[in-house]
Amino acid sequence: MTEENKKLWQSVLSEIELSISKANFNMWFKDTFINKQEEGTIFVGVPNVFVKDWLINKYHKNILKSLRSFGEHIHAVEYLVIKPEGKRELPKENTNESHSELPLQDFYINKEDNLNSKYTFDNFVVGPFNELAYAAAQAIIKRTAIYNPLFIYGGTGHGKTHLVQAVGNHVKNSGQGKKIYYLTSEKFTLDLMNSIQGGTANQFKEKYRRYDLLIVDDIQFFAGKQKTEEEFFHLFNSFYDNNKQIIFSSDKHPNFIVGLEDRLKSRLNSGMIVEIPKPDLESRIQIFKTKSRMLGFSLSAEIIEYLASSVEGNIRELEGVLNSIICQSKLKGRDLTITEIKDLIKNNLKPKKNSSIKEVIKTIAEFYGITEEEIYEKTRKKTVVKPRQVVMYILREDFDVSYPTIGEKLGGKDHTTVMHSCEKIKEDIKTDSSLIRELSQIRSMLT
Ligand code: ADP
Ligand code: MG
């Protein structure tokens, strides 16, 4: 590819990347390039026919429009199947695609303790909104077990996971030889179910009792799971009685977690409960400053001020906006203007997908060629089981619907059934490339 074509295609890709989901982008635009230009026609090289058809049907207009915005002489696009250099066809069996599909950050996750080393105090901004939670976390680090349990709650993207993992990482690296274990309440439930089914419940208990510091994230998902709560209650007591620290996070105050047993609630209330609310303006400014500095990118005070006052959302959203600004400005080779930044913000803060659960079910049933009713029925027909699992998986992953709610909406299924279905799909994605494609197509129909 000539330098000119390379640049042009990169510009097009970075525009498209902003307008579609990441999964879709990776799926359809990986290994594409400009093969040649001839009299205003751009020939785009694509890795296979499948991608070619998809680009023509779904993205042709966007591609052409974007190309034209960078070169007015361009009036047509053609797609050529050209296998990427140095790549050979993977054998059909055992493609093991999952390894290349893993997001980079997953490589930082330690298998022993589940901690992700990217969450540290060094890169944790402390401001009025989270200083209390920060102080509580520091207290734990300095003198274990004053606040036991520590319970951090707050909305999504407010920094709960970052904070509780930072505690774990700090203790881990402090050389005290403490055994730490981080997990989500969902993982706990799943492990428990598996150990009960596999007849290894005792090993399960033994395993947890070995740890000195236990961190359980997103504990709201325990609600209504009786067996799990009971098991957890005992585990909790054994930690507590042995002066071992437990840290929890949740999206709500324990008293507002519907379905959580009273005795568990009162135990939670016996420690320290701190909220991380939405970041305030001053903190948002600090977050933009720190994050841009960490990324080696400088933003003017005026721009930072503007960003912090117009992006009020959670920290994940702030990061998203910052990343696109950096990306765009690298591409253009200059700082962005306020107008350009305004446009970016508009693109970035996409309204949450507002399809209803019913619409999701309808779309997926249609996609697999079955009726909506079949999804709700109790049948175990293979043709229905998979679409139903996909429905559960999409509702959970993309729409944050809780397991119990999914179960209820799908005709009164047990939440453990839902959980197993979601896990099944998660497992299958690792080896089943056609499933990956199906999910991607379904997702693009839902956005
Ligand atoms: P939650 O668990 O509350 O949903 P996360 O801990 O996953 O939120 O935070 C979302 C993103 O924001 C992560 O990338 C995290 O590193 C970042 N983040 C959260 N709080 C802070 C903070 N105080 N300083 C810097 N980055 C933060
Ligand atoms: Mg979290």
Side-chain angles (χ1 to χ4, degrees), residues 86-152:
K87 289 214 176 177
R88 38 183 198 88
E89 288 274 283
L90 284 167
K92 281 278 171 291
E93 305 271 318
N94 275 331
T95 44
N96 233 349
E97 285 186 23
S98 62
H99 293 292
S100 56
E101 305 266 333
L102 272 182
L104 200 56
Q105 68 180 56
D106 285 1
F107 290 115
Y108 299 123
I109 297 177
N110 182 306
K111 290 275 182 311
E112 293 276 295
D113 52 29
N114 293 329
L115 286 171
N116 185 330
S117 59
K118 79 170 186 175
Y119 295 121
T120 66
F121 282 114
D122 292 341
N123 56 18
F124 188 77
V125 175
V126 183
F129 79 109
N130 64 0
E131 61 191 359
L132 206 60
Y134 174 79
Q138 288 294 323
I140 283 183
I141 286 170
K142 290 182 183 130
R143 281 182 58 196
T144 315
I146 334 178
Y147 295 144
N148 203 15
L150 172 63
F151 190 99
I152 307 276

Side-chain angles (χ1 to χ4, degrees), residues 313-355:
N314 66 51
I315 299 167
R316 209 169 283 132
E317 284 174 335
L318 306 192
E319 286 178 340
V321 169
L322 186 62
N323 284 336
S324 359
I325 291 178
I326 293 178
C327 163
Q328 283 287 304
S329 128
K330 279 205 175 129
L331 208 100
K332 297 205 156 93
R334 59 168 172 81
D335 290 346
L336 300 189
T337 64
I338 283 276
T339 327
E340 285 169 329
I341 287 182
K342 272 186 193 164
D343 279 349
L344 263 188
I345 292 178
K346 249 197 329 219
N347 277 331
N348 238 277
L349 302 181
K350 290 198 196 94
K352 238 189 142 38
K353 293 173 221 164
N354 52 4
S355 323

Side-chain angles (χ1 to χ4, degrees), residues 160-161 217-218 316:
K160 303 180 297 293
T161 297
D217 209 350
D218 289 323
R316 209 169 283 132

Side-chain angles (χ1 to χ4, degrees), residues 297-316:
F297 193 81
S298 83
L299 288 170
S300 73
E302 184 202 11
I303 300 247
I304 287 191
E305 191 84 20
Y306 175 76
L307 287 174
S309 52
S310 42
V311 186
E312 288 189 18
N314 66 51
I315 299 167
R316 209 169 283 132

